[in-house]
Amino acid sequence: MPDRYLRYGDQRYIITKEAEARLDRALDSVYAEGSRGHEWLSLYNGSQAPCRLLIATGVPITIETVPAVGE
């Protein structure tokens, strides 16, 4: 299974399918008509390594897939 990463600015974070689904909902909310134009996303819910990212219009965000060894 390939590793998936969220590229946020010049940082790269491991992202799970569940976190990616929450990111998609946050992006929908940020770009919805009449929105505030930003929303906080907790990348690792329920973990001891909290990571909150500001999802806002104009902030470059991409999902990268890195093939696992042997693929």
Side-chain angles (χ1 to χ4, degrees):
M1 173 181 240
D3 293 327
R4 295 178 57 78
Y5 296 93
L6 170 66
R7 171 80 60 186
Y8 179 87
D10 63 352
Q11 299 293 315
R12 191 167 87 162
Y13 303 92
I14 294 172
I15 190 166
T16 63
K17 290 288 186 181
E18 185 265 332
E20 189 173 349
R22 285 189 285 107
L23 172 63
D24 288 341
R25 289 191 297 272
L27 288 168
D28 287 344
S29 176
V30 166
Y31 286 96
E33 189 173 325
S35 79
R36 297 181 307 209
H38 69 278
E39 186 171 314
W40 286 98
L41 172 71
S42 294
L43 195 54
Y44 306 124
N45 273 353
S47 100
Q48 297 211 359
C51 180
R52 286 176 34 115
L53 302 175
L54 181 63
I55 307 303
T57 56
V59 175
I61 299 172
T62 57
I63 301 292
E64 300 175 352
T65 302
V66 178
V69 176
E71 287 190 5

